[in-house]
């Protein structure tokens, strides 16, 4: 005890750069306490990544703008393919096939030399997303997808509570969402649709239910790791998301230049910078593992966790996350150190982040109300109370208090007590379901059921940027082969 007090006196208030990284000093934020180790990063080490963007994607969009071809964000890939000289750009699914085939055989995707700066920029981007890094292990990617599929209901709750709601405690990240209106608009149904669109991408890429490219214009569902190989459905969506991020960067900068935005890059960093991308990747990977373990009340197999992080390292590469900020690369210890460091650096809830967190917690209840129906405030408030208690039970009362959820946590009325009871019952049911997932045969049957639900979700919920349903056929295992 005396030694601990002496260490506390010695290091209290010191910059993180000066703390010993040997686990002898603990750091705390929003109720979480962790030992400062060699895997943690100081504020200065993280801050420099806020000035880093995605040069290849930005240069490709700038080339499209110079040629007058920068239109809808979801059409940027087709335009890049056209400017690169790989096709007309009217059908990315047909144009990408020969490029992917050449890249798979170890050749350059383009047989001729580029002419002009615009074509060079577009070709450089396509070459980067078509190249498969040497560290990618498709067997591990497939096993990571299998883990996500098995625990997908728990992973969905983790993404909502541990990643999405908790992630809105970072004003620097929310500042970009505020500029674009993504997930920050008060309309509940719009918020739910945005969440479902994100879930569509995750299901296609990380769930193993995504489609693989079979020919120029045909895809087959249930492809597993093949969906992330060049030309697959997960690959296409990841590249589109990367270009949307670049479009957001360009729009925010343009709005600042026109004087219609007060976004300050000197304080907030480049919009959608590498730190933002890195922490978002950890939110979908490491935070999901932490959430699933919290729901289950047990640790997952370390090898399976490593495979799941490898899956998201591969997805992160496609999304334009640099090697320096792809903290899924070194396993769970490095990911844990990075997410704790990022929390210390970014989590400072303010009034706007509290408002957005409340909107997210209210949205599921409000979206179910009939248009023009009465009692919306009461229904939304009751649903908010239940989800506020769930959040506090998962993330701790201190974090919940920082997000302004105390009025619902301290509600001593009958509705307040009932909200607490429903939250407790919900967590118990989720934990029981998590225990079933490890029971022999039962868990396998449930995992198979989850896979079928994934297929139905991808089939019936079709965002405007999704592969047209007429191009996708049901899964036939013999037609799908993961290329080595």
């Amino acid at each position: 005890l005396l030694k601990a007090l002496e260490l506390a006196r010695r290091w209290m208030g010191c910059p993180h750069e000066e703390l010993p990284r040997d686990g002898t000093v603990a750091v705390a934020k929003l109720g979480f306490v962790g030992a400062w180790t060699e895997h943690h990063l100081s504020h200065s080490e993280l801050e420099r990544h806020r000035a880093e963007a995605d040069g290849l994607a930005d240069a490709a969009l700038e080339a499209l703008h110079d040629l007058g071809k920068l239109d809808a964000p979801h059409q940027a890939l087709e335009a890049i393919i056209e400017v690169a000289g790989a096709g007309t750009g009217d059908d990315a699914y047909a144009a990408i096939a020969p490029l992917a085939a050449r890249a798979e055989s170890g050749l350059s995707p383009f047989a001729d030399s580029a002419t002009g700066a615009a074509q060079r920029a577009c070709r450089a981007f396509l070459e980067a997303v078509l190249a498969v890094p040497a560290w990618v292990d498709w067997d591990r990617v497939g096993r990571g997808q299998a883990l996500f599929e098995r625990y997908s209901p728990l992973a969905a709750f983790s993404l909502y509570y541990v990643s999405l709601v908790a992630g809105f405690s970072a004003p620097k990240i929310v500042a970009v969402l505020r500029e674009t209106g993504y997930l920050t608009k008060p309309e509940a149904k719009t918020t739910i649709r945005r969440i479902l669109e994100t879930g569509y991408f995750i299901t296609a890429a990380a769930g193993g239910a995504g489609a693989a490219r079979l020919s120029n214009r045909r895809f087959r569902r249930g492809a597993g790791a093949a969906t992330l190989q060049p030309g697959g459905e997960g690959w296409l969506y990841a590249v589109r998301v990367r270009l949307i991020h670049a479009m957001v960067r360009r729009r925010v900068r343009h709005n600042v230049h026109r004087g219609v935005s007060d976004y300050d890059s000197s304080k907030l960093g480049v919009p959608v910078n590498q730190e933002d991308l890195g922490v978002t990747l950890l939110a979908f990977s490491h935070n999901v593992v932490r959430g699933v373990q919290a729901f289950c009340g047990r640790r997952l197999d370390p090898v399976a966790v490593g495979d799941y992080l490898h899956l998201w390292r591969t997805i992160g590469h496609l999304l334009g996350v640099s090697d320096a900020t792809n903290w899924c690369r070194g396993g769970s210890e490095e990911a844990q150190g990075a997410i704790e460091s990022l929390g210390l650096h970014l989590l400072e809830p303010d009034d706007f982040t509290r408002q957005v967190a409340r909107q997210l917690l209210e949205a599921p209840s409000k979206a179910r109300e009939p248009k023009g129906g009465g009692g919306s405030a009461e229904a939304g408030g009751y649903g908010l109370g239940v989800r506020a208690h769930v959040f506090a039970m998962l993330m701790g009362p201190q974090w919940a208090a920082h997000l302004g959820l105390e009025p619902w946590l301290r509600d001593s009325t009958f509705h307040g007590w009932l909200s607490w009871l429903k939250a407790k019952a919900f967590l118990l049911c989720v934990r029981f379901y998590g225990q079933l997932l490890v029971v022999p045969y039962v868990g396998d049957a449930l995992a198979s059921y989850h896979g079928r639900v994934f297929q139905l979700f991808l089939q019936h919920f079709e965002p405007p940027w999704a592969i047209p349903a007429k191009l996708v056929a049901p899964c036939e295992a013999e037609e799908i082969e993961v290329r080595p």
Side-chain angles (χ1 to χ4, degrees), residues 61-62 65 70 246-255:
L61 290 190
E62 195 62 35
H65 176 263
L70 188 59
M247 190 80 78
V248 169
R249 269 192 302 273
R250 196 177 188 284
R251 183 196 304 176
V252 173
R253 288 167 170 168
H254 181 62
N255 289 342

Side-chain angles (χ1 to χ4, degrees), residues 99-162:
L99 300 179
R102 288 181 61 86
E104 289 163 11
S105 62
L107 302 174
S108 170
F110 304 96
D112 58 343
S113 300
T115 57
Q119 190 174 77
R120 282 194 296 272
C122 291
R123 287 191 174 188
F125 175 79
L126 289 175
E127 288 172 354
V129 296
L130 287 168
V132 178
W135 49 260
V136 174
D137 184 334
W138 294 115
D139 290 335
R140 294 189 69 191
V141 169
R143 292 195 296 270
Q145 290 174 326
L147 179 75
F148 181 81
E149 186 173 281
R150 176 176 288 266
Y151 292 98
S152 54
L154 283 66
F157 293 133
S158 300
L159 285 168
Y160 179 68
Y161 287 105
V162 182

Side-chain angles (χ1 to χ4, degrees), residues 175-176 178-180 248 251-265 268 271:
V176 178
R178 189 176 191 174
E179 293 289 322
T180 62
V248 169
R251 183 196 304 176
V252 173
R253 288 167 170 168
H254 181 62
N255 289 342
V256 170
H257 180 72
R258 292 171 52 214
V260 297
S261 170
D262 58 357
Y263 187 92
D264 189 348
S265 296
L268 301 173

Side-chain angles (χ1 to χ4, degrees), residues 363-450:
S365 297
K366 287 192 171 183
R368 290 194 298 266
E369 297 167 6
K371 187 174 182 180
S376 60
E378 181 180 351
Y382 178 64
L384 172 59
V386 176
R387 284 180 281 276
H389 279 290
V390 173
F391 181 85
M393 292 171 186
L394 285 173
M395 306 302 293
Q398 187 173 341
W399 200 324
H402 275 79
L403 284 180
L405 302 179
E406 273 192 323
W408 290 270
L409 300 180
R410 294 184 176 182
D411 186 0
S412 58
T413 65
F414 174 77
H415 280 298
W417 176 83
L418 191 60
S419 296
W420 176 88
L421 189 62
K422 288 187 68 173
K424 199 73 173 177
F426 167 76
L427 290 177
L428 287 174
C429 290
V430 172
R431 175 166 293 191
F432 176 72
Y433 194 85
Q435 297 297 329
L436 289 179
L437 293 174
V438 298
V439 176
Y441 303 112
V442 176
D444 295 337
L446 290 174
S448 178
Y449 170 72
H450 298 162

Side-chain angles (χ1 to χ4, degrees), residues 54-66 80 117-118 121-122 124-125 246:
D54 182 354
L56 290 174
D58 293 342
L61 290 190
E62 195 62 35
L64 295 183
H65 176 263
D66 292 342
I80 288 174
C122 291
F125 175 79

Side-chain angles (χ1 to χ4, degrees), residues 200-249:
Y200 192 95
F201 162 62
I202 296 172
T203 302
R213 174 180 53 81
L214 299 180
S215 62
N216 282 4
R217 287 183 55 84
R218 298 298 296 171
F219 294 84
R220 185 73 68 182
R221 285 269 187 240
T227 189
L228 289 172
Q229 295 188 338
E233 184 178 19
W235 180 92
L236 281 167
Y237 295 164
V239 173
R240 289 191 189 280
V241 170
R242 181 175 180 174
L243 291 172
I244 289 172
H245 289 164
M247 190 80 78
V248 169
R249 269 192 302 273

Side-chain angles (χ1 to χ4, degrees), residues 247-294:
M247 190 80 78
V248 169
R249 269 192 302 273
R250 196 177 188 284
R251 183 196 304 176
V252 173
R253 288 167 170 168
H254 181 62
N255 289 342
V256 170
H257 180 72
R258 292 171 52 214
V260 297
S261 170
D262 58 357
Y263 187 92
D264 189 348
S265 296
S266 63
K267 296 179 180 178
L268 301 173
V270 174
V272 198
N273 55 69
Q274 284 297 325
E275 186 186 29
D276 293 347
L277 292 173
V279 71
T280 303
L281 194 69
L282 289 174
F284 287 109
S285 55
H286 182 69
N287 273 4
V288 167
V289 172
R290 292 175 63 186
V292 169
Q293 291 178 156

